């Protein structure tokens, strides 16, 4: 018998279009913005991110910026002039061209993240349109009819679409306001005020503005290079070519503004993921007067019975999450490097520290174990302090510790709990209806299959909607990602495993194809 969910009346296609087009004005604006071609977004973000690194290296003398600090101190204390050139002093490279938390994020990782984010959002309408056309929605009487705009099902689908975009738009605006406030305050306190006063706010005799009372985020890097030669807490090389005040201020303002926009968009995208998860969760509970049911005529080789459509949304979300972790990890590394007093540049810090970690791993001793656990407890203490609310004035802390915990946890919960339980409930809903004498015939008529065929299909259904990662892999990604963020040396291994898993997933799909 031919499955009825393969048929789609022509008038229902127009009804679908009307549902997506008749939305509030702010929803239409949001859809129009997120409807920009992902390749255009990639090109624009790439261009805007490359401009600072080119300007810093070739125009503004901000690519290579150094200052002298005392070796072996707890904090990066300035080196007295009479000790410059001795073994007690270290010339530390803090230029923009060596800041892994800035130029790689703005010119490489963020553009890629936005490409996948815009792809994911644009797949929303396409995915739900396909699910509706596949008859994966029905009313509580197991009827499917969208042609009548006043029908119960039409109103339910319309409310569902409106809820996704309304939550997405409103939550996104609130998050953008909060994130924007944090980044602007950080720029004002860490860059603008030191440039205006000619010294760090931690220097004696400096009047600290009320909004900058927390001076823990003060950093000596490229952003205030114009005052290196005059600041009391900084010892700069005598032959240093400092950028002009106007150039330094303008460059830092541009870079922070770019960070502000991109960070807001990234957080807004995760509002979209959250809104979608909440909507799917409500569908699971039968909200909107709709049932979400499997497509039992699906030819998916993994047996997902229509829920493979959700992969178009959540596969890019996985990529965005991995890239977000890499951005947070780069900030974690840079913050750690700025506190170190034994390494001249970030590359020496990365690879020498990593080599030492490998040496201790393969040549264990009592001293190496003691050092390992001492570093472990120190890292945990640093990590826990980073998620304290007072640390949220620093965008590195904002995107670092909290992002790793919140984003990785949220995506894992969405994948491992919401999507899986929704698919399972959809399968069980059909099974329960077949066991109910009053609903059995309605289900048989809805699918156009006999009871035996329906039960066979339900028995073959898999409730995990993604081909990669599997549920166990997503949980391991969460745990390992948090561990890597705390013990940053392990992140090299994590990145290698993720690359292998991505290649395996791609090769597996090619073999199946």
């Amino acid at each position: 018998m031919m499955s009825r969910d393969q048929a789609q009346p022509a008038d229902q296609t127009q009804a679908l279009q009307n549902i997506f087009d008749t939305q509030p004005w702010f929803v239409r604006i949001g859809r129009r913005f997120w409807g920009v071609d992902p390749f255009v977004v990639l090109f624009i973000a790439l261009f805007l991110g490359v401009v600072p690194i080119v300007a810093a290296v070739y125009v503004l003398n901000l690519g290579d910026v150094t200052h002298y600090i005392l070796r072996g101190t707890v904090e990066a204390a300035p080196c007295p002039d009479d000790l410059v050139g001795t073994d007690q002093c270290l010339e530390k490279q803090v230029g923009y061209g060596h800041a892994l938390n800035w130029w790689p994020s703005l010119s490489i990782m963020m553009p890629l993240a936005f490409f996948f984010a815009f792809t994911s959002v644009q797949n929303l309408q396409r995915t739900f349109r396909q699910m509706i056309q596949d008859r994966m929605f029905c009313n509580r009487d197991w009827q499917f009819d969208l042609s009548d705009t006043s029908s119960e099902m039409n109103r339910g689908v319309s409310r569902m679409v409106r809820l996704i975009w309304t939550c997405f738009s409103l939550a996104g605006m609130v998050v953008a306001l909060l994130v924007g406030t944090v980044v602007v305050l950080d720029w004002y306190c860490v860059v603008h005020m030191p440039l205006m006063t000619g010294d760090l706010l931690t220097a004696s005799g400096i009047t600290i503005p009320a909004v900058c009372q927390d001076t823990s985020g003060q950093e000596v890097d490229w952003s205030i290079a114009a005052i290196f030669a005059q600041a009391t807490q900084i010892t700069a090389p005598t032959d240093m070519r400092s950028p002009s005040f106007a150039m330094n201020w303008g460059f830092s303002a541009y870079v922070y503004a770019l960070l502000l926009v991109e960070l807001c968009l990234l957080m807004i995208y995760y509002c979209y993921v959250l809104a979608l998860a909440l909507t799917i969760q409500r569908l699971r509970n039968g909200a909107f007067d709709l049932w979400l049911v499997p497509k039992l005529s699906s030819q998916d080789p993994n047996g997902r019975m229509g829920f493979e459509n959700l992969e178009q949304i959540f596969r890019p979300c996985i990529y965005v999450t991995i890239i977000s972790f890499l951005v947070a990890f780069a900030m974690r590394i840079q913050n750690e490097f700025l506190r170190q007093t034994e390494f001249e540049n970030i590359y020496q810090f990365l690879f020498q520290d990593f080599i030492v970690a490998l040496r201790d791993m393969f040549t264990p001793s009592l001293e190496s174990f003691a050092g390992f656990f001492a570093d472990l407890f120190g890292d945990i203490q640093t990590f826990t302090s980073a998620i304290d609310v007072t640390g949220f004035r620093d965008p590195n802390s904002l995107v670092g510790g909290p992002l790793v915990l919140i984003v990785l946890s949220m995506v894992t919960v969405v994948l491992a709990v919401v999507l899986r339980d929704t698919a399972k409930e959809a399968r069980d809903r059909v099974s329960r209806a077949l066991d109910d004498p009053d609903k059995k015939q309605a289900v048989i008529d809805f699918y156009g299959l006999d009871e035996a065929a329906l039960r066979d299909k339900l028995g073959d259904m898999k409730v995990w909607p993604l081909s990669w990662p599997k549920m166990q892999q997503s949980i391991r990604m969460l745990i390992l990602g948090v561990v890597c963020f705390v013990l940053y040396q392990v992140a090299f291994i994590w990145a290698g495993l993720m690359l292998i898993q991505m290649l395996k997933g791609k090769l597996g799909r090619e073999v199946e194809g």
Side-chain angles (χ1 to χ4, degrees), residues 144-173:
F144 179 89
D145 183 15
L146 286 177
S147 58
D148 182 4
T149 57
S150 62
S151 68
E152 181 183 38
M153 182 177 174
N154 192 293
R155 292 195 304 270
V157 173
S158 182
R159 291 204 310 272
M160 176 188 69
V161 173
R162 183 178 293 110
L163 176 64
I164 295 176
W165 279 97
T166 300
C167 290
F168 177 23
S169 303
L170 296 180
M173 287 189 289

Side-chain angles (χ1 to χ4, degrees), residues 185-259:
L185 282 177
D186 181 81
W187 174 80
Y188 180 80
C189 296
V190 177
V191 180
H192 175 75
M193 286 308 300
L195 285 175
M196 289 297 179
T197 58
D199 209 336
L200 297 177
L201 296 187
T202 53
S204 59
I206 298 295
T207 302
I208 303 177
V211 295
C212 304
Q213 291 300 314
D214 179 12
T215 58
S216 60
Q218 296 293 305
E219 295 178 347
V220 180
D221 64 2
W222 57 268
S223 62
I224 55 172
I227 64 171
F228 270 25
Q230 67 185 78
T232 59
Q233 292 188 317
I234 302 174
T235 304
T238 55
D239 60 347
M240 175 182 171
R241 297 173 56 197
S242 298
S244 68
F245 172 87
M247 288 293 187
N248 198 162
W249 188 94
F251 180 83
S252 65
Y254 172 86
V255 172
Y256 268 82
L258 187 59
L259 172 68

